[in-house]
Structures are given as structure tokens and as C-alpha cells.
Amino acid sequence: MSWQETLKKWTSFAALDEALLKQLNEVVKDEKEVEDAFYKNLTFGTGGMRGVLGPGTNRMNIYTVRKAVEGLSLYIKENVQHCEERGVAIAYDSRYMSQEFAIEAARVLGSHGIKAYVFESLRPTPLLSFAVRYLHAAAGIMITASHNPPEYNGFKVYNEDGGQVPLKEAAAIIEKVDLVADELSVNVAEQKDLEANGLLTWVGEKVDKAYLQALKGLQKQENASDDLTIVFTPLHGTSHDLVLAGLNQVGFTNVHVVREQANPDPEFRTVESPNPEEHQAFTMAIEQGQAINADILIGTDPDADRLGVAVIDANGAYQVLTGNQLGTLMLDYTLSHLSEEERKNGKLIKTIVTTEMGRTVAKSYGVDTIDTLTGFKFIGEKIKEFESTEEHYLFGFEESYGFLIGDFVRDKDAVQAAIVACEMANYWKKQGKTLLQALDGLYEQHGYYLEGMKSLTLKGKDGAEQIATIMEDIRANPFTELGGLKVLAVEDYDTSNRTLLVEDKNEIIELPKENVMKFILEEDAWVCFRPSGTEPKIKSYFGVKTTEETKSKDLLQAIQSQVEERINQIIA
């Protein structure tokens, strides 16, 4: 069916939701916009289904959500034992339509006789992962678009282990979703009937308490110190209550919340982007921190799976740590507080675009590292595999501010990370050091690792074609040198092939196939290219290592400039 035919199907649907009909009448006035809304269906990427709110098959709305849940229902009925009574856990964040989508999901599940456990108010994504495991549910649904702009929402699917569905499961679910011929005619039950029949159960406080109890197991210090002054911002999202409760039970009471950003707000009015990766998101926290001389600033993204941290530097200004820096610090802190026996057969899990410093630090403690593709679902998948081996999980992180310490959650968890980051800052303060000074010590010990990332946004159908062209050109004409360093190996994850240029031989990459290219350079430097699975972006990742900060900065800049020039030539 062409996009014009799909559009006609929607405009002629007599029972179309009134709000969507009103929006559709505006959208059809712009041919390019209406084509983008209907030329394809939203698909699952590294984090699930995510898109702009509005009418159309390529948009997030009650009909695309119903279609996705219909496919999920068909999948779990065939593949998960006792799924009807075990049910599906559903949570949602502070975005527009989040609660409505959660209820629509429950209505579709209910039409199949599958029970839904729906949180009575917004909750963090990691709590949904925990809830699936705690409730022994057959699956989980999280309605969120993470840190995307306000016009977005999304839909993440979790399996019965509490992890985001891995590639094979996702493909099977997508196959079921594709069997749903008409998203407009998916059966839904009435909410009041589901509540009366016990097919919709509202949950909350009991799960929260169980999660907070699990958090206690991460504590490495007997008593936290009121001497540590903390500024916390949930960036208008879901983490406020759980982070404060978690800090309090560890013993941190000198916590100051950025009040202007404490309440949920789908517009995220006080920030350009509700993303702790973006340093502007810390503007208000920095102002408050300066006023009270805070030791540490912590900020979570709206669905509380990413954590950012800022601390005072040598000049008295607050510096936001990168995800690689924070992850390396927490890894070192975690491993240093484990005995040799506890570390035995333990593993660090990181993604292929995450700092190599993590591998070096882990090795210094006798811990091996496992690399995965980008996306925390692959880390969750490895944790599950450890249940049938002698290996066990110690720590996992990715460069984009995603961290997981305790495996009672199977996705990145900013609540966990916030508690551990503050405990770590308290530990180093007692040693007379800030986190930056602790990081300098790691650089002196292991080398000056520095990373960067450039993100190019190319929206719409034309943008998707440009992103494809960039990847095709890089494959057809691979780099042979960057920043004056020779390329030693080329890794094409789409073909699972690693070409070792010096040895003139090929190896198989033992990871799932994905549209990613990585170049391994001399002197432990590397560059990686990856189209985003959830946003209209192509991302370029960079890593270097030298013996000095200035040398690393200069080398990183040289490599980034050369890559940027090449990409500009491709799309010119």
C-alpha cells in the first residue's frame, strides 16, 4: 500500500480519534510532512519504538501503540508460558500521552485475556525493569522517549527477564506486529471492565519499597556523611522520589533539589534538552551548587535511566563529567571495594563505543571485559547468560551516561548510579580528593584516555537516505589513516568481518550484525560510525590515548576534524 493509500484509509476512518483527526486535517496541508507521517511504519530500534507524536503510521499515537501491543500479545501468547495470569508490567514517564498510551496498552492486552500491572503514576524506566522481575511478569512495557524533545514519545518492550528485548526476540515481535494488517481496527477492551475483572491492576508503593530494599545491597560504606553537600535535578522527569529515598536510606540528608526542575513537565521548559549529556541541562544545578558550595551535582534524564554528574575543578568551576569518565570512576570504586574472591570470574560489560580505559582499569583488578553492540539490551542479555555459566556480573556501562551496578535491574539505572556516585564522592572527599582528582590519579596510572562523539541530525525521508549514503561511502572507501595514525583494522559489523590490515587477514566478529563501522588505529586510538536506532541521527565516536592531556586533546581534535570534513564532502 502506498503512503497515499494509507493516508486515505486514515482520513476515511469514521471512528478516528477526534484529536488525531484535527491534527491530520492540518498535516495534510503540507505534502512533505504528510508523506513523512505515512511513508513507513515505526520500527523497533536499539531502544524500541520511538517517534514524533501525531497522526500517521510513522508517528506515535494510540493506533500505532495498539498495533505494537497487539503484536506483543500474539508473541507472548505463543512464546511465554502462563502469560495471561503472569501479566505484563506497564510504566510511563512524564511526556505527553504517556499515561494514555499505557492505558491503551492495557486495553489491548486485556482483549487477549492478559493481565496488566500498570503503575498508578509515573515511574523511572529501571523500576519497570525491576517490576517485571519482581512481579514475575511475562513482559514489560515502558512508555517513554527518554531525553528526546517534547514532541516525541516512545514504547520500549521488556522480556520476562526484565531486559529490553534482544535482536532475535525483537525480530519475532516485529513479525507479529507486521501481521496486524490494520492498526485502526485492533480490538481493545474497556478500562472499567478490565478493572472489574482483575485484568488491570494498579501497582506502585509495594514495588517501590522492594526496589529500595534491593538498593541497600549496593552500599559499600557503613555511614554516609552529612558533610557531603548534594544538588539534585530530575530534569522534570520521574526520578525525584526514588533518588531522594535512596539517598536518605544510605544516610545522605544534605540534599538540595533544583525546585524549578523538580516537578514533571512534558515541555521541559527550563532546558533546551532534558539530557544530562548536554551540559546546558546542568545550568540551574550549577547556579544552586555555587550558591551553597555543593560537592557534587547529579542530574537524571526524564525516564531516569541516564545520570550526569558535575564536580568542582581546580579553578572552582563545576565540570560535567563525561559518561566515560563517570563510568570509569564508578567501575574503579566498585572493584576496589570487592575482595579478590568476589572479583573472581567477574566481568565488566561495556559497548564497542565505550572508553577502552574501562578495560584497562578492570584488567588492573584481574577482571576481564566483554564488549557488546551499542544498546544496554545487549548488556542485559549477557547478564542473563551468566546464569548458566561460572561467570558473574560486576559492572556495566556505556558512554551515553548509562550505568548498572546491581543486576536486580536489567537496564541502565540512573537511580542506582546516583546513589553510588554520591557514595563514591563521599569516599574520595574523606581522602581529601574530589572526583576529578581521583580521575587524574587513574589517568596517571593507566594513561590519558579521551573520547568524543559527534552527532549529525538528518530528519525525514531525505535525511534517512543521506545517512545511508554516508555509511555506504565509508564502507566503499574506508579510511587508511586518521590524525596521522595508520588504520590497523577495519571492523564491519554489518558483515561480521574484521580486516587486519598489517597481517592481511580477516576475522569473524562474534557479535550480532548491525550497521556499524569501526576503525582501529595505532596507539590505541579508534573511530566508530553508527546510525542511531531511535533518532534521525548518525553518530561518530572517537577514542584516543596518550601520556598527556594536551596531546590527547590535540590528537582527538585532529581525528574529529578529518572525519567531519569527509562526512561534509559525502553529503554536499
Side-chain angles (χ1 to χ4, degrees), residues 60 70 236 462 508:
M60 284 294 299
E70 179 72 7
H236 304 294
D462 292 342
I508 296 174

Short mmCIF file of all heavy atoms in Angstrom, two decimals, residues 60 70 236 462 508:
data_model
loop_
_atom_site.label_atom_id
_atom_site.label_comp_id
_atom_site.label_asym_id
_atom_site.label_seq_id
_atom_site.Cartn_x
_atom_site.Cartn_y
_atom_site.Cartn_z
N MET A 60 3.88 8.38 16.70
CA MET A 60 3.38 7.77 17.93
C MET A 60 1.97 8.27 18.19
O MET A 60 1.73 9.48 18.30
CB MET A 60 4.29 8.16 19.10
CG MET A 60 5.61 7.42 19.15
SD MET A 60 5.46 5.65 19.48
CE MET A 60 4.69 5.66 21.11
N GLU A 70 -0.59 -5.29 20.15
CA GLU A 70 -1.23 -6.45 19.54
C GLU A 70 -0.18 -7.47 19.12
O GLU A 70 -0.31 -8.67 19.38
CB GLU A 70 -2.06 -6.01 18.32
CG GLU A 70 -2.75 -7.14 17.58
CD GLU A 70 -3.93 -7.74 18.33
OE1 GLU A 70 -4.32 -7.20 19.39
OE2 GLU A 70 -4.47 -8.75 17.86
N HIS A 236 12.68 17.51 35.35
CA HIS A 236 11.24 17.43 35.06
C HIS A 236 10.75 16.01 34.80
O HIS A 236 9.70 15.81 34.19
CB HIS A 236 10.88 18.30 33.85
CG HIS A 236 11.26 19.73 33.98
ND1 HIS A 236 10.68 20.56 34.91
CD2 HIS A 236 12.17 20.48 33.31
CE1 HIS A 236 11.22 21.78 34.80
NE2 HIS A 236 12.13 21.75 33.85
N ASP A 462 14.43 12.21 3.39
CA ASP A 462 15.67 12.64 2.75
C ASP A 462 16.86 12.43 3.69
O ASP A 462 17.94 12.01 3.26
CB ASP A 462 15.59 14.12 2.36
CG ASP A 462 14.58 14.37 1.25
OD1 ASP A 462 14.20 13.40 0.56
OD2 ASP A 462 14.18 15.54 1.06
N ILE A 508 36.28 -13.18 12.09
CA ILE A 508 34.84 -13.05 12.28
C ILE A 508 34.56 -12.30 13.58
O ILE A 508 35.15 -12.58 14.62
CB ILE A 508 34.16 -14.44 12.33
CG1 ILE A 508 34.32 -15.15 10.98
CG2 ILE A 508 32.68 -14.31 12.69
CD1 ILE A 508 33.81 -16.57 10.99
#
